[in-house]
Amino acid sequence: MLDETHLVSTNLSASDVPEAQPSQAPPSTITPQLQNVVATANLEIRIDLNIVARQARNADYKPKRFTAVVLRIREPKATALIFASGKMVITGARSELDARLAGRKFARIVAKCGYHPKFLDFKVQNIVGSADVGHCIRLEGVERHIRLEDVDKPVNQRRGAAYDPDIFPGLVLRWMDPRVVFLVFVSGRVVITGAKTREQLYEGFRKVLPYLKYYVIEGLAQPVRKKKKKKKQHSQD
DNA sequence: TCTCTATAAAAGACCA
DNA sequence: TGGTCTTTTATAGAGA
């Protein structure tokens, strides 16, 4: 049951919405944790994926299913999609540095298959982070607040706020500056995605936090975080 | 317990 | 031309 003592009534106008600007909020000590870094790089060689699939130990290649070889390493933990063009996508790394290190390791694996790969154009494409604001959040309030604040803005400058718990239990917030997307849950846990740099991710979280802090559900304890299930192990390295 | 729902991003083949 | 496929990761509901 949500706490109905909050200020938002059913007939609010934009001017009734309380200010929730970062400048008015105390500085946050909550730092989002990086959970996944996706990056690309170019090995600058044409590759026979059948050869890599045969010779690399942790390779999955099902050309009818997908056009790349999947390589996995444990340290740093990461997965790569290697394409015949020599382009590579690195996923699953916990930091930008790990993604780069992993990328170089994947290049070395390709080299062991008889190629002379380069390692060019390394670029971080997406960073996913998560954070816990420390209390439960009234998602309808946040959604409504954002919509009302943006009602006078041109459509292309509006932040998107979508909450339909019948479809997905999280509030989807599309921020414009920086361009990141938040998934906000009643539990107070937040997923941030779409950032190109960790600075963007931190800045986005810093800007959205006052809204989440404002719509605290008083007296509702955060659910205990479930233990992470162990994911099915793929081939070993 | 697994799969699906939703989010971002890249790669490149393939199909309508 | 644009959608789908695959991979990763946090998050959390519903349903099989």
Side-chain angles (χ1 to χ4, degrees):
Chain A
M1 178 86 174
L2 292 174
D3 183 353
E4 289 304 318
T5 60
H6 277 293
L7 306 178
V8 177
S9 71
T10 48
N11 294 311
L12 263 185
S13 67
S15 58
D16 294 324
V17 176
E19 295 275 324
Q21 297 305 318
S23 58
Q24 297 175 312
S28 166
T29 55
I30 306 167
T31 303
Q33 300 299 301
L34 301 201
Q35 301 291 356
N36 181 26
V37 174
V38 179
T40 51
N42 192 352
L43 304 177
E44 284 245 317
I45 41 156
R46 293 291 307 179
I47 301 170
D48 183 338
L49 300 183
N50 288 299
I51 292 177
V52 177
R54 272 201 308 270
Q55 297 195 15
R57 269 191 296 167
N58 306 318
D60 277 332
Y61 184 41
K62 300 182 183 77
K64 284 186 179 170
R65 222 171 141 209
F66 192 60
T67 51
V69 172
V70 179
L71 293 180
R72 291 183 174 88
I73 57 171
R74 279 185 167 179
E75 193 50 53
K77 184 174 180 287
T79 298
L81 311 177
I82 310 285
F83 293 85
S85 63
K87 298 279 182 71
M88 169 167 63
V89 178
I90 303 135
T91 70
R94 288 282 176 175
S95 68
E96 307 90 321
L97 183 61
D98 275 358
R100 185 183 284 273
L101 281 172
R104 290 195 176 278
K105 279 199 172 185
F106 289 123
R108 242 173 279 144
I109 290 171
V110 172
K112 280 190 180 174
C113 297
Y115 293 96
H116 294 90
K118 295 178 178 168
F119 186 72
L120 301 176
D121 309 325
F122 175 84
K123 186 181 178 193
V124 172
Q125 302 286 0
N126 184 24
I127 300 178
V128 182
S130 66
D132 186 342
V133 302
H135 58 74
C136 289
I137 301 168
R138 196 155 61 84
L139 301 182
E140 305 91 325
V142 179
E143 183 198 25
R144 187 178 169 74
H145 193 140
I146 297 286
R147 282 177 185 275
L148 284 168
E149 272 193 349
D150 287 1
V151 75
D152 293 328
K153 291 182 183 169
V155 174
N156 63 349
Q157 286 174 32
R158 288 180 194 165
R159 299 160 290 184
Y163 178 48
D164 185 351
D166 289 339
I167 296 175
F168 186 67
L171 162 67
V172 180
L173 260 184
R174 289 170 205 280
W175 214 256
M176 298 301 284
D177 180 31
R179 206 168 189 90
V180 292
V181 175
F182 301 94
L183 307 178
V184 186
F185 298 88
V186 172
S187 64
R189 291 187 265 271
V190 183
V191 174
I192 310 122
T193 186
K196 294 282 186 192
T197 64
R198 69 167 64 203
E199 288 74 24
Q200 282 180 3
L201 189 129
Y202 294 155
E203 185 193 352
F205 182 70
R206 188 166 44 77
K207 287 184 171 177
V208 84
L209 188 57
Y211 297 87
L212 311 185
K213 286 283 180 197
Y214 188 82
Y215 288 96
V216 56
I217 301 176
E218 304 282 2
L220 179 61
Q222 285 185 285
V224 176
R225 191 184 262 126
K226 281 181 203 161
K227 268 193 179 167
K228 234 177 82 179
K229 359 175 222 201
K230 199 170 181 184
K231 284 195 90 178
K232 235 187 328 192
Q233 271 296 302
H234 295 278
S235 46
Q236 307 297 300
D237 61 341

